[in-house]
Amino acid sequence: MKLLVCVFVLILIYIQEIPCNIHLWASEVTRFSSQYNNGSFSAIQILGKPNVYPRYGNIAGTWTQPNEQLDRVHFIEIKFPRKVFLDEINIFETYHAGAVVRGCC
């Protein structure tokens, strides 16, 4: 019985050391600086699995700012469905790429 418990503990320790990839998509927008409209160019377009990338251009289904505010710094705060320790964040810019200045947790 003790041998079985020791083997089980060793298996658990080994499993915890195995890295795994989890893909999570944003599930909630908590705040944002601006949005082009309340529909197909709104902040909620950032939620879920990307549906525009790899297409490039001014495409409906993206979070976009009003034309008169393109020269300003904008922000969006999002939540994920569960807490995780992040190693990487992927941001898909499909129009005027290079606009992202910073991402933080």
Side-chain angles (χ1 to χ4, degrees):
M1 182 67 168
K2 286 183 182 181
L3 179 61
L4 182 61
V5 171
C6 289
V7 170
F8 181 70
V9 170
L10 287 174
I11 290 172
L12 283 178
I13 292 171
Y14 179 74
I15 289 174
Q16 290 178 358
E17 298 296 320
I18 297 174
C20 63
N21 291 327
I22 299 171
H23 295 115
L24 292 177
W25 314 113
S27 60
E28 180 183 348
V29 174
T30 55
R31 292 187 334 142
F32 58 91
S33 56
S34 68
Q35 60 186 8
Y36 186 78
N37 61 27
N38 290 325
S40 60
F41 291 99
S42 65
I44 63 168
Q45 297 302 319
I46 203 168
L47 302 178
K49 189 174 181 178
N51 60 354
V52 172
Y53 181 82
R55 295 178 293 150
Y56 180 84
N58 191 12
I59 302 170
T62 60
W63 172 50
T64 306
Q65 289 70 45
N67 291 334
E68 65 275 4
Q69 295 183 5
L70 292 177
D71 60 342
R72 299 181 187 167
V73 175
H74 297 278
F75 72 89
I76 189 164
E77 290 181 3
I78 55 175
K79 284 187 178 180
F80 291 88
R82 60 183 171 170
K83 293 181 180 182
V84 294
F85 294 101
L86 298 175
D87 287 331
E88 181 176 298
I89 298 173
N90 293 311
I91 300 172
F92 299 93
E93 295 179 276
T94 58
Y95 195 53
H96 297 299
V100 173
V101 178
R102 179 176 60 147
C104 57
C105 302

